Amino acid sequence: MRKSFLPSKKLFVISLLSAVVILPATYYLVQEKDAVSATLWDKLNCGICVFYLQPDDPQLFFDIGNYYFGGGAYNLEKAEYYLRQSLVIDPGVAGAHYQIARVHFIRGEFSTALDEINKEIELHPDFKRSYYVRGLIYGYNRQFKEAEADFKEFLRWKPESWAGNNDLAWIYFQEGKYAEARDAVRAGLKIAPDNPWLLNSLGVALLNTGDKEGAKNAFTRALAVLGSLSEADWGAAYPGNDPGVYAEGLSQMKASLETNLELLDGGDINTPG
């Protein structure tokens, strides 16, 4: 889940960025539990079976939570319920607080999301993806210094992440650090040269550093690439979001790029001073 934001006073928009394991009653089920799991979960969607057949396996509850968080079905309420059940059984389950934080982030419940991701970092500090999620939460809370630090921590672990570079640029824009935003975007483009999110970000960065022609070229390239993306391609950049919003999100991103180009052509541009 990422946000469109306005680095200028006009409408310049930049797009940010399972299985049930049955408690065996017999030796046969111990040996065949994966097959039984696939039958019950994938074919019958029998989540309730867990309460009766394997009530003490935290990984099972975690897997079902992930199933409802886009792993086969999409239901945030059920996802959170099963993820929390995994923590009732084992408070140290790796990834549970992380996923719950993402659920609340998508809902726009940033305070709860921050509490959850901080618990994950406390329990599992080596899981560096948590810093990316916390960076997003801080960014939406307008805690830009903290967000910048977390995205940098994430990128030290995964420098090849185009999304990490793009969202670091998002923070720089909001801090008025346009040259730094441009450099972060260019670092991302070395990884993904035809990425429309990065190209859109580059256009806004170049615009705010005085290169209107470069900005126009970047917006034009971004729009051309975006035209070849499917709804599923667009949605892949927003893991955890409802697939039902993919079509609208893709359409809005195209409209944002078209608006950027129209404002450039019209010359009615007002950047922050």
Side-chain angles (χ1 to χ4, degrees):
M1 176 177 177
R2 299 186 186 87
K3 180 180 182 182
S4 294
F5 61 95
L6 279 65
S8 71
K9 297 175 185 176
K10 294 293 183 179
L11 187 62
F12 276 86
V13 185
I14 178 169
S15 295
L16 294 183
L17 241 223
S18 10
V20 171
V21 180
I22 302 305
L23 179 63
T26 68
Y27 179 80
Y28 172 78
L29 286 180
V30 172
Q31 299 302 308
E32 301 297 328
K33 66 180 182 179
D34 290 339
V36 173
S37 166
T39 299
L40 285 175
W41 190 249
D42 296 334
K43 296 183 181 179
L44 302 180
N45 193 19
C46 185
I48 194 66
C49 296
V50 66
F51 296 109
Y52 302 103
L53 299 171
Q54 186 130 346
D56 58 352
D57 183 353
Q59 188 62 43
L60 182 148
F61 284 92
F62 180 82
D63 289 345
I64 297 174
N66 283 338
Y67 174 85
Y68 282 119
F69 198 26
Y74 191 82
N75 186 310
L76 294 182
E77 288 72 24
K78 288 184 178 181
E80 182 178 5
Y81 175 79
Y82 285 108
L83 290 166
R84 289 199 180 278
Q85 284 298 114
S86 76
L87 289 167
V88 170
I89 300 167
D90 179 1
V93 174
H97 287 294
Y98 170 87
Q99 293 291 65
I100 294 170
R102 293 177 65 213
V103 167
H104 284 279
F105 175 73
I106 288 169
R107 290 173 174 161
E109 298 164 354
F110 303 131
S111 178
T112 303
L114 184 59
D115 288 343
E116 291 294 334
I117 203 64
N118 281 337
K119 290 175 184 176
E120 186 71 29
I121 290 172
E122 181 180 356
L123 288 168
H124 308 286
D126 293 333
F127 185 60
K128 299 298 183 178
R129 290 187 185 278
S130 294
Y131 291 94
Y132 180 84
V133 170
R134 195 170 69 174
L136 289 173
I137 296 166
Y138 278 140
Y140 275 72
N141 271 338
R142 302 187 64 80
Q143 295 174 258
F144 301 134
K145 181 179 179 180
E146 292 86 351
E148 181 181 331
D150 274 352
F151 284 131
K152 287 179 177 177
E153 177 69 17
F154 171 76
L155 285 167
R156 276 191 285 272
W157 173 71
K158 192 175 183 181
E160 71 278 11
S161 170
W162 73 262
N165 282 286
N166 197 51
D167 286 335
L168 177 59
W170 167 55
I171 297 302
Y172 282 143
F173 276 118
Q174 295 183 86
E175 294 176 308
K177 300 177 180 179
Y178 303 120
E180 289 92 336
R182 176 199 61 206
D183 293 343
V185 172
R186 284 177 171 165
L189 284 167
K190 290 179 181 178
I191 302 157
D194 295 318
N195 183 284
W197 288 270
L198 288 167
L199 289 169
N200 190 25
S201 298
L202 179 63
V204 178
L206 293 175
L207 174 66
N208 282 282
T209 54
D211 185 357
K212 293 182 181 179
E213 188 62 31
K216 184 175 182 178
N217 290 338
F219 290 144
T220 301
R221 284 179 60 201
L223 192 59
V225 174
L226 200 64
S228 67
L229 294 188
S230 67
E231 294 172 10
D233 293 332
W234 184 90
Y238 300 89
N241 278 20
D242 185 350
V245 307
Y246 290 177
E248 181 183 357
L250 179 59
S251 177
Q252 287 180 350
M253 187 172 176
K254 288 179 180 178
S256 297
L257 282 163
E258 290 166 352
T259 298
N260 288 351
L261 285 168
E262 288 172 4
L263 289 173
L264 269 172
D265 289 338
D268 185 17
I269 300 168
N270 192 4
T271 59

